[in-house]
Amino acid sequence: MKKYITATAFAALMVIPLMGCRDFLSEKSNSRLAIPDKLEDNQAIVDRYFLLGQYPNSAEISADDIWVSDADFNTFPNESEKRLYIWKPDYVSLAISNDWQTTYSKINIYNNVLFNLDHYQIPQAENVRGQALVLRAAAYLEAAQIWCLAYNPATAAKDLGLPIRLDPDMNIPSFRASVEQTYQQILTDLHTAAALLPNDQIAVSRPSKRTALGLLARTYLFMGEYQKAAQYASAALAIKNELLNFNVLSPTSPNPFLPIHTEIIFPLSRVNSPFLAATKAKIPQSLYDSYENNDLRKQMYFRLDASQNVLFKGNFSGGTARSASLATDELYLTAAEGHAASGNYTEAMELLNALLVKRWKTGTFIPFMATDAQSALQIIRKERRKEMLFRGVRWADLKRYNREGAGITLSRTVNGTAFVLPPNDLRYAVALPEDIIQMTGMPQNPR
């Protein structure tokens, strides 16, 4: 099977998002532009758009893992991102090239592929169908963390969710579903995909069964369904659980990680932003100080600039691009947290220690101990933050921790003005782009 896009598929990729309606697919043109009615063309569309599609950065900018200097803040050109950084309630997305557009352009591509497979009755399409479903679910899950409040079973049926687009026809009006409906669609796509996909693919850039199971674990974790989070993380680990030993990495390397290494399940990167630039996004000193000296993450993840500010270099992307990858370390942490929250703290600590022994200098790691589920949960969540920096989960973690009563308040001072985000504030659901509200008539997130 081809790992590159064919001329036919590339033409379809360029035209379908613009046309977006079934009239385009109803008959073939006399031109050289062919309809994507073959399996290889739709696989190529998925492969091609995976290479082009980057994941949103709104959650990373909003979370508390970074800070930027006043001098840098004042030179950044994007006023909407500045407003996002200080948690303004509105106008946090440009009218063009924003995270909303990035998200829904991807979703439209995957909807077109799914439509093609059904409309043209393409045989032996299970693998490609599963890939498209995983990618659509991943896009919706990321979007839910940005534009929706934390999943709360008591209010999810009435809380504002996302517009659920399942058809490529752009003439169909958009309506906001509930948070409950949004998450159920994500779960449906992932469960369906898990039954269709092989354990591993010929290329790691193609979603596999392990990708679907890992995203199911992440989804259930965000929902607070901890037993299911542990169940699906463990199922993914049963396929492959190998960890990278940080002792074999070079602490002096500017990029200690290869773009594809043994822990990468599904490699993704984020849209560039000056707020996340390698020389601009600084790490809070208190977070850096929380790493013990024998914890190799302190050397692999960080470097100091000329002013001794802490910068992050440990991208799982293998370079300066910020990662959105799903990886094996997250599965260990999700399984551990799921077990601890469900009361099984012994197994939870075994999983955590199995991960951390690969992160510490050989012979120096002393396994963590917990006497009850609550103490285990506190240890695991502390290590989750230290492990998962710049992986796009902190904003979602803050939302779910505060949903459970953690009482975490965020604060920033910019140009002498203090900005505060209290626990469970409505601004944890980022404002939708105002032009989208005007165009569709959908309700804006309440403030």
Side-chain angles (χ1 to χ4, degrees):
M1 189 160 299
K2 298 181 180 68
K3 294 185 183 180
Y4 54 89
I5 190 165
T6 64
T8 297
F10 183 76
L13 175 62
M14 293 297 103
V15 176
I16 289 176
L18 298 176
M19 301 296 291
C21 60
R22 291 177 179 169
D23 290 342
F24 170 72
L25 297 173
S26 61
E27 60 179 339
K28 292 187 178 182
S29 161
N30 290 328
S31 72
R32 296 179 63 188
L33 296 181
I35 300 299
D37 57 358
K38 295 181 174 58
L39 186 63
E40 65 179 6
D41 292 336
N42 287 281
Q43 178 68 75
I45 292 172
V46 172
D47 289 345
R48 173 70 176 181
Y49 205 72
F50 164 78
L51 294 174
L52 296 177
Q54 292 181 307
Y55 271 61
N57 57 34
S58 292
E60 286 282 59
I61 295 172
S62 300
D64 60 345
D65 282 345
I66 66 163
W67 64 277
V68 300
S69 69
D70 289 350
D72 287 335
F73 181 91
N74 294 334
T75 61
F76 291 160
N78 190 328
E79 289 298 323
S80 62
E81 285 192 347
K82 290 183 180 181
R83 293 178 66 81
L84 186 68
Y85 177 74
I86 55 177
W87 309 303
K88 288 292 187 179
D90 52 13
Y91 296 98
V92 294
S93 295
L94 287 173
I96 58 173
S97 300
N98 56 47
D99 281 351
W100 186 272
Q101 181 188 56
T102 298
T103 297
Y104 276 93
S105 66
K106 288 200 295 283
I107 289 169
N108 183 257
I109 290 291
Y110 310 139
N111 284 341
N112 272 289
V113 169
L114 292 166
F115 171 79
N116 294 341
L117 299 179
D118 289 336
H119 184 75
Y120 298 110
Q121 299 180 357
I122 298 175
Q124 299 179 321
E126 291 81 3
N127 194 337
V128 176
R129 185 186 304 279
Q131 293 174 52
L133 288 170
V134 166
L135 289 165
R136 184 172 73 181
Y140 275 125
L141 182 59
E142 183 84 11
Q145 308 322 305
I146 298 172
W147 292 293
C148 302
L149 293 172
Y151 182 91
N152 183 338
T155 62
K158 62 180 182 180
D159 289 339
L160 285 173
L162 298 170
I164 303 300
R165 307 284 306 189
L166 305 179
D167 192 300
D169 186 349
M170 294 174 65
N171 296 311
I172 299 174
S174 291
F175 301 96
R176 293 191 72 171
S178 68
V179 166
E180 179 66 35
Q181 291 169 325
T182 299
Y183 275 85
Q184 288 306 314
Q185 182 60 52
I186 294 166
L187 292 172
T188 296
D189 280 357
L190 291 173
H191 280 293
T192 302
L196 297 174
L197 291 168
N199 286 352
D200 288 296
Q201 298 276 21
I202 62 172
V204 72
S205 59
R206 291 182 180 175
S208 64
K209 181 186 291 289
R210 197 157 60 113
T211 312
L213 294 172
L215 288 173
L216 277 168
R218 182 187 287 182
T219 305
Y220 282 121
L221 186 75
F222 290 168
M223 295 174 71
E225 295 196 25
Y226 291 110
Q227 282 188 323
K228 289 183 178 179
Q231 173 188 342
Y232 287 101
S234 297
L237 288 171
I239 297 173
K240 183 180 178 183
N241 64 4
E242 183 180 356
L243 290 166
L244 181 64
N245 188 341
F246 278 27
N247 285 275
V248 305
L249 303 177
S250 171
T252 60
S253 173
N255 300 306
F257 301 96
L258 294 173
I260 302 297
H261 56 75
T262 189
E263 289 190 21
I264 297 295
I265 300 171
F266 190 55
L268 296 166
S269 61
R270 298 201 173 276
V271 174
N272 292 328
S273 165
F275 277 92
L276 305 179
T279 59
K280 306 296 184 183
K282 299 170 178 64
I283 305 299
Q285 186 68 41
S286 60
L287 179 54
Y288 176 73
D289 290 341
S290 70
Y291 295 80
E292 300 290 342
N293 289 334
N294 286 323
D295 186 340
L296 293 174
R297 292 175 297 186
K298 195 168 189 176
Q299 302 174 56
M300 304 306 168
Y301 283 1
F302 306 109
R303 66 182 180 89
L304 303 180
D305 66 13
S307 301
Q308 299 300 294
N309 292 311
V310 184
L311 303 175
F312 187 80
K313 68 173 183 176
N315 298 293
F316 269 20
S317 63
T320 58
R322 301 312 189 186
S323 175
S325 298
L326 178 68
T328 307
D329 60 342
E330 182 180 346
L331 298 181
Y332 274 83
L333 290 163
T334 298
E337 185 173 350
H339 282 303
S342 304
N344 187 2
Y345 64 90
T346 301
E347 186 167 354
M349 297 310 294
E350 289 176 355
L351 285 161
L352 179 66
N353 289 327
L355 168 65
L356 294 181
V357 71
K358 300 291 188 178
R359 284 0 188 193
W360 282 58
K361 184 177 179 181
T362 300
T364 66
F365 178 65
I366 300 174
F368 283 100
M369 303 287 289
T371 56
D372 54 40
Q374 188 58 39
S375 62
L377 200 58
Q378 291 175 354
I379 295 169
I380 292 163
R381 288 180 172 177
K382 180 180 178 180
E383 293 303 319
R384 177 179 171 86
R385 186 179 187 195
K386 291 159 67 175
E387 178 71 19
M388 298 292 291
L389 274 170
F390 276 100
R391 299 274 289 282
V393 299
R394 178 61 178 171
W395 186 244
D397 285 347
L398 287 167
K399 292 164 74 167
R400 66 188 180 91
Y401 296 159
N402 280 332
R403 175 192 63 203
E404 296 169 8
I408 302 170
T409 296
L410 305 188
S411 61
R412 283 175 173 146
T413 300
V414 177
N415 294 322
T417 301
F419 299 91
V420 176
L421 186 68
N424 302 310
D425 193 279
L426 291 174
R427 289 171 292 171
Y428 268 107
V430 171
L432 275 61
E434 279 72 16
D435 62 323
I436 295 297
I437 298 299
Q438 183 177 8
M439 183 188 309
T440 65
M442 292 188 299
Q444 179 61 277
N445 284 328
R447 290 292 181 259

